[in-house]
Amino acid sequence: KEKIDTYEKKPTLVVILVGENPASQIYVNNKKKTAEKIGINSIVINYPENIIEITSINEHETSQVDTLKALQNINIKGVVNDASGKHLDNFNGLLHINIYDKDVTYNTYGNETDVFSFKLRNSLIYTGKAQIVDGKFSADITLPKDINYSYGNGKISLYAHSDNADAQGSFSNIVIGGLNEDAEFDDEGPEIKLFIDDERFVDGSMTNENPLIIAYLKDNNGINTSGAGIGHDITATLSGATNKTYSLNQFYNAPTSSDEFGTLTYKLYDLNEGEHLLTFRAWDIYNNSNTTTISFNVVKGKIINIENVSNYPNPMSDNTNFVFEHNQKDNEIDIVIKIYDVMGQLVRTIEECSYGTTTRIEPIRWDGKSDSGASLKAGIYMYNVTIKNAHNEETSGYSKLIIK
């Protein structure tokens, strides 16, 4: 330990643990404890023991080397086996597929040692999903236009999980390069639905300084997340009180079918107070793009605030719903709604408690009756909504309703 303490950089013990054998886990834990005692860092990398095997690509056996081209429709079939090679016909779950372009040669700077070259495969050109049923899968994919068109060996990386097991695998007997000249024509960009915090968000509404971007994307040929083409990333650009651009490729969650929406969520932090405009842009694998925008007002959550107090339907007959916006997202708030007639007489008090998972409150329903249970007569009524947080800070908003 004394000698290790003199090292400028601590050595690290790296363990690759395959499966969940209890004896192996005990052995590895003991080694980690020993390493810790003498000042050595330790990292354990866990791999599933079940194996995913690709059985064919475009109906060709895997002993043949297939060439995968940009914009080519590709079918990949495979199975899930246990460590002994036995087919797991009870494995039902989700398969994650990543396809990497050719590896690239890099050189070190040579600051501390001689310059040396190494290869790195870091160009992810496709990510997608497929269902595994009875231990078998068939995935239809299309490679994006943004690949390196020179020919060379690529790699398919696979991971699958079910309710009670997982599996992994890879396949590198493929060549990636070239362009499918017979690809179908496509000049339409992706369909985009954009929200802040949740799907009930109304454009221009209020949020706090840490809003959540929610986007739903759909394209018949797939969304481009490769990052290989310059300027073809999924991006979110803020303007107004905060000016910044975010690249969001890695946060896209692809669907299992091209006729479904994929999802993207991304948390923003410490935005400036004030009006913001968010411009969201996405590309499909043909490099067609679409953009959509949404505006929001950041009001920091330290000072409690309420806006856009309203009710619907208004005028009402049998019932109505009270809604409003606040800046106490991720905090519990007490809500008191007081309804008054035109003479200023309090006729109904409604009390609720809500956890602010979003900045827009769940509708609070009222049946049009007084505190005594009597139906109120037609006319104009005033109401105020008071909210209070756990720090006993409170604020109120006012509006009016009509009973017809």
Side-chain angles (χ1 to χ4, degrees), residues 34-321:
T34 301
E36 184 178 350
K37 286 180 181 179
I38 62 175
I40 296 177
N41 298 324
S42 61
I43 299 173
V44 178
I45 302 173
N46 293 282
Y47 276 83
E49 62 181 347
N50 297 322
I51 304 299
I52 305 170
E53 178 187 352
I54 291 178
T55 56
S56 71
I57 297 178
N58 288 339
E59 305 301 330
H60 300 151
E61 293 184 359
T62 54
S63 57
Q64 302 181 39
V65 179
D66 269 290
T67 297
L68 310 184
K69 299 180 178 181
L71 302 184
Q72 178 186 2
N73 295 324
I74 301 161
N75 176 261
I76 300 174
K77 289 185 173 67
V79 296
V80 180
N81 299 326
D82 66 15
S84 67
K86 180 182 177 182
H87 176 55
L88 296 176
D89 57 8
N90 61 345
F91 193 106
N92 298 287
L94 191 64
L95 173 68
H96 299 261
I97 306 168
N98 289 330
I99 300 181
Y100 292 86
D101 211 336
K102 299 159 283 291
D103 54 22
V104 179
T105 300
Y106 294 90
N107 294 320
T108 63
Y109 288 117
N111 294 338
E112 299 178 358
T113 61
D114 293 338
V115 175
F116 69 92
S117 299
F118 64 96
K119 291 185 177 182
L120 183 64
R121 194 187 301 274
N122 60 353
S123 180
L124 177 64
I125 58 175
Y126 175 86
T127 179
K129 299 175 184 176
Q131 294 290 337
I132 299 178
V133 179
D134 299 333
K136 298 179 180 179
F137 65 87
S138 178
D140 293 309
I141 69 174
T142 306
L143 291 188
K145 196 173 185 179
D146 283 338
I147 69 169
N148 180 346
Y149 286 3
S150 64
Y151 292 92
N153 284 100
K155 183 178 181 179
I156 302 174
S157 180
L158 306 164
Y159 174 75
H161 56 88
S162 66
D163 290 338
N164 52 18
D166 58 356
Q168 55 86 23
S170 63
F171 184 78
S172 56
N173 194 30
I174 54 170
V175 170
I176 291 179
L179 172 68
N180 176 22
E181 301 291 349
D182 297 321
E184 63 182 45
F185 179 75
D186 181 1
D187 63 354
E188 295 184 4
E191 182 180 352
I192 305 172
K193 297 180 180 180
L194 184 62
F195 305 94
I196 297 295
D197 293 327
D198 77 348
E199 295 177 26
R200 293 174 294 143
F201 187 86
V202 177
D203 189 53
S205 297
M206 178 175 59
T207 184
N208 66 10
E209 67 271 31
N210 304 316
L212 179 70
I213 298 174
I214 304 172
Y216 296 98
L217 310 177
K218 183 169 73 172
D219 189 272
N220 289 336
N221 288 305
I223 303 297
N224 188 350
T225 59
S226 71
I230 298 175
H232 295 161
D233 294 318
I234 300 174
T235 57
T237 301
L238 282 175
S239 58
T242 305
N243 295 281
K244 192 171 182 179
T245 296
Y246 304 84
S247 181
L248 305 178
N249 289 352
Q250 62 180 310
F251 301 99
Y252 178 64
N253 189 17
T256 57
S257 171
S258 61
D259 59 357
E260 299 174 348
F261 280 92
T263 60
L264 186 151
T265 58
Y266 184 77
K267 186 84 167 177
L268 302 172
Y269 290 97
D270 299 324
L271 299 188
N272 298 324
E273 282 199 299
E275 299 289 340
H276 289 73
L277 179 68
L278 176 68
T279 301
F280 188 94
R281 189 175 193 181
W283 303 74
D284 67 13
I285 63 171
Y286 279 71
N287 291 340
N288 303 306
S289 71
N290 252 343
T291 60
T292 189
T293 60
I294 194 167
S295 59
F296 57 91
N297 182 27
V298 171
V299 179
K300 292 197 174 183
K302 291 182 180 179
I303 302 174
I304 192 168
N305 193 55
I306 186 172
E307 289 184 1
N308 297 327
V309 175
S310 63
N311 65 288
Y312 67 91
N314 191 14
M316 61 168 285
S317 53
D318 297 328
N319 56 74
T320 191
N321 298 281

Side-chain angles (χ1 to χ4, degrees), residues 18-31:
V18 179
E20 299 179 353
N21 181 277
S24 297
Q25 291 177 335
I26 292 172
Y27 176 82
V28 169
N29 287 335
N30 288 336
K31 291 297 182 184

